[in-house]
Amino acid sequence: MYVKKTVPYLNCGLDLVGEVLYGKWKIRILWFIHQGNLRPSELQRKIPDVTRRVLNVQLKELEDHELITKKIYPVMPPRVEYTLTDFGSTLIPLIGSIGVWGDEHQERLRRVILKHAAPSLTDAVKT
């Protein structure tokens, strides 16, 4: 398992939130679990760009930070489901607000993101 080589800077609320939610897919993982997508295969279908390895690492980190719980069912093959903890559920209104902000500003956000993207990415989006 990966162990950080430096001590995290945890002097304010933003540092703490960043430490817990840092990761490209964590916010989306939490949102999709909230929507009822509880199994890793369901999450992978919802987020097709995430690799299985990265998904598992980020699920483990969310579990370590007590935002989700993992239940393993004693069947063959083993079945795993994740659910939000009460603590993790407190993030859902914030994630929803961030999503609304993104929807309201999506045209501008796409423009500024693509403006600084690699030319090959910009061409791929235009086609």
Side-chain angles (χ1 to χ4, degrees):
M1 175 182 225
Y2 175 76
V3 177
K4 290 188 176 188
K5 294 173 181 68
T6 60
V7 177
Y9 187 76
L10 304 174
N11 291 336
C12 74
L14 289 175
D15 293 335
L16 294 164
V17 170
E19 186 64 27
V20 172
L21 293 180
Y22 177 75
K24 186 172 184 177
W25 309 110
K26 285 184 181 177
I27 290 175
R28 292 180 73 188
I29 290 168
L30 289 168
W31 185 255
F32 289 134
I33 290 174
H34 160 72
Q35 290 184 324
N37 300 283
L38 310 179
R39 301 189 64 204
S41 58
E42 294 170 331
L43 294 168
Q44 186 125 39
R45 278 193 292 281
K46 288 286 190 175
I47 314 169
D49 293 340
V50 69
T51 65
R52 184 64 151 191
R53 181 187 150 304
V54 169
L55 177 62
N56 288 333
V57 167
Q58 293 197 358
L59 284 166
K60 176 70 172 122
E61 290 174 356
L62 290 168
E63 187 180 9
D64 290 345
H65 289 124
E66 301 177 2
L67 298 174
I68 62 174
T69 57
K70 177 182 183 177
K71 182 171 183 180
I72 302 172
Y73 291 90
V75 295
M76 284 313 246
R79 190 175 113 205
V80 175
E81 287 186 352
Y82 291 91
T83 55
L84 289 176
T85 63
D86 289 341
F87 183 48
S89 294
T90 63
L91 283 168
I92 296 306
L94 302 171
I95 294 170
S97 295
I98 290 169
V100 168
W101 181 84
D103 288 343
E104 290 173 356
H105 300 283
Q106 64 182 303
E107 185 177 310
R108 182 177 188 173
L109 291 168
R110 279 194 183 102
R111 181 176 44 80
V112 298
I113 291 167
L114 291 174
K115 179 178 171 182
H116 299 285
S120 60
L121 291 177
T122 306
D123 293 340
V125 173
K126 289 180 185 175
T127 57

